[in-house]
Amino acid sequence: MTGTESGAPRKQRADSRRNETALLEAAAAAFVASGVNAPVRDIATRAGVGVGTIYRHFPTRADLIVAVYRHQVEACAEAGPVLLARSATPHAALASWIDLFVDFLVTKHGLAEAMRSDDAAFQTLHAYFLDRLVPVCAQLLDAAATAGEIIPDMDALVLMHGIGNLCIGADSPSYDARLMVGLVIAGLRLH
């Protein structure tokens, strides 16, 4: 039973949250190394748990992939306001956040193919990605523009699409996506 007698969801125990976070991070590392079809046994080994523990948390591969994706989107979304508060300038916060966004994009080996599948678990991921990350990017752009550091009126979604396109082919050794994205971010500067 996942809820209390009143039907309200139970709070997850701290050790269970830690285990789930360790599983998600191990799965993310395995996906970077081997793609989203990495063997569950490899993920379990990375996480230091048994295969049964993974299936208890994530009954299907699709559940695991979606959970990893959502976990990484949340980390990227939560980083924006923190970077804005801690960075020397809003432009520095924007540049640091864009680095995290690039890391997120270039480590999605096989995810695009999985998202094109008929599995219902993947249907809402793109909307979730946009709903969580576009406002964060917009906040960073607005702060940098208000500070007079970048050109005004840069659309967050347009910038994110451009960065996404620059990250295509990032696994090629002769292409440096980070350099190309850095040029775009530098090009936003007013001085």
Side-chain angles (χ1 to χ4, degrees):
M1 181 177 212
T2 59
T4 62
E5 293 304 316
S6 67
R10 259 192 322 206
K11 288 192 177 191
Q12 196 176 24
R13 289 186 351 222
D15 62 331
S16 180
R17 281 192 307 276
R18 279 191 304 275
N19 285 345
E20 187 171 314
T21 298
L23 288 172
L24 293 172
E25 290 171 2
F31 293 168
V32 168
S34 306
V36 295
N37 291 317
V40 173
R41 185 178 331 277
D42 292 354
I43 296 168
T45 299
R46 284 177 187 263
V49 300
V51 172
T53 301
I54 292 179
Y55 286 116
R56 193 167 34 259
H57 285 273
F58 310 104
T60 68
R61 179 171 297 276
D63 293 334
L64 178 60
I65 293 168
V66 168
V68 167
Y69 185 86
R70 286 179 172 268
H71 177 72
Q72 291 178 322
V73 166
E74 284 304 312
C76 197
E78 292 168 2
V82 172
L83 289 167
L84 193 54
R86 294 183 182 167
S87 297
T89 67
H91 183 268
L94 174 65
S96 294
W97 187 82
I98 294 296
D99 278 345
L100 293 174
F101 182 61
V102 169
D103 288 343
F104 172 81
L105 293 176
V106 301
T107 59
K108 299 299 168 265
H109 304 295
L111 184 61
E113 182 180 331
M115 287 178 71
R116 284 191 299 268
S117 77
D118 291 334
D119 194 315
F122 298 116
Q123 301 306 314
T124 61
L125 280 183
H126 187 67
Y128 178 76
F129 168 87
L130 294 176
D131 290 346
R132 292 294 291 136
L133 297 184
V134 171
V136 174
C137 186
Q139 178 188 24
L140 292 163
L141 286 167
D142 289 345
T146 300
E149 297 178 311
I150 66 168
I151 59 173
D153 302 322
M154 181 70 226
D155 182 84
L157 184 58
V158 170
L159 178 63
M160 291 171 68
H161 274 286
I163 291 168
N165 287 336
L166 290 171
C167 290
I168 294 171
D171 51 354
S172 169
S174 63
Y175 179 70
D176 187 350
R178 203 170 289 291
L179 172 65
M180 299 308 296
V181 170
L183 291 171
V184 169
I185 300 307
L188 291 173
R189 292 213 67 147
L190 285 175
H191 33 267

